[in-house]
Amino acid sequence: MKLGQATIKDIARELNLSASTISRALKDYPGISDETKRKVKEVAEKMNYRPNAIALSLRQSRSFTIGVIIPEVIHFFFSTVISGIEEVANSRGYNVILSQSNEKLAREISSIETMLSNQIDGVLVSYSKETKNFDHFTKLLDQGFPIVFFDRAPAIPGAINVMVDDYQGSFDATAHLISQGYKKIVHLAGPQTLKISIDREKGYREALEKNGIRVNPAYIITCPLGTLEESKELVTEALNTLPDRPDAFFSCNDIGAVGAIMACRDAGLKIPLEVGIVGFSDWQFCSMLDPQLSSVAQPGSLMGARATEILLDIIEKKLDPKTMEQTLILETKLMERDSSKRF
């Protein structure tokens, strides 16, 4: 017998059991004793048994493979989302094909086409910053192809979305800065093509208004690239040119907040005594900085897990996307650290 070619019948002969008993034991059917399951799985591993994925997919008209399209693999938040996705997918017998768009629409379209050619059963998507037209997704949704969007929710009727409460997270971050005595708070905003950017700016605006602080349009600075260099340059410019110098910065992402820290240090400002800084996402490095960076934590792993559960339930006909709740919103948590705590 060739390596990797063991079959259920081979295991049955080895244990002197029926093929049907072996099959049920491998699938953890309740009617099979724990001891039999243990023996079967032990022999299966010893004989290098692997389920015939091709035969299984032909029987069930599924490939047991899902696609995942994200903007960036190196992004800490998305790495935690992927962890949640793979945990659920693997536990339910699905493989995962991962692709990154690098925030490019063309790569996003190419990725979905490649995945479809590999006959995936469904796809999880966090679309790119460049994506303003969603025709490549709406065509698939109109044909009944399972798609679940996560983090970034598109303006598509009937789309299923899993996201965090970006509005509340930003409201909490801004209110925290106000509670620490900061009044002239700049928001380093994301690109307006993304709903998350719009919601985060709204949370910032309404926190100011609720606390009796007028929204100054000059204090809303868009950072379309979302890079450290960009935010450092824009914060330096704001500190040097705004007539009423800011005393705090709330960034739509943690990289932007780090750029703000660098710019404030270069300007000789003491953090948090003279200027407070808060980010969004709570990347792993936030607690490693000096001072440690306050940030709005997103439950990335939970987002990935819940999005995958919904997608697989749609694939397996346990959920109907036409009648189910279209948006699942997860809570954020403000992590208060030294970069913004005066008191």
Side-chain angles (χ1 to χ4, degrees), residues 69 99 105-116 136:
I69 302 175
S99 179
L105 173 60
R107 288 194 62 166
E108 182 175 278
I109 294 173
S110 174
S111 293
I112 194 72
E113 290 175 347
T114 300
M115 289 179 176
L116 289 171
H136 51 301

Side-chain angles (χ1 to χ4, degrees), residues 227-279:
T227 64
L228 184 148
E229 294 78 13
E230 177 189 56
S231 62
K232 182 182 177 182
E233 181 180 337
L234 290 172
V235 170
T236 299
E237 183 180 349
L239 291 172
N240 291 332
T241 62
L242 288 176
D244 203 5
R245 197 181 212 190
D247 63 3
F249 293 88
F250 165 50
S251 174
C252 66
N253 60 54
D254 288 333
I255 290 293
V258 174
I261 289 176
M262 295 173 67
C264 290
R265 277 182 173 165
D266 289 348
L269 297 173
K270 296 177 182 178
I271 305 168
L273 184 62
E274 295 176 295
V275 63
I277 300 171
V278 178

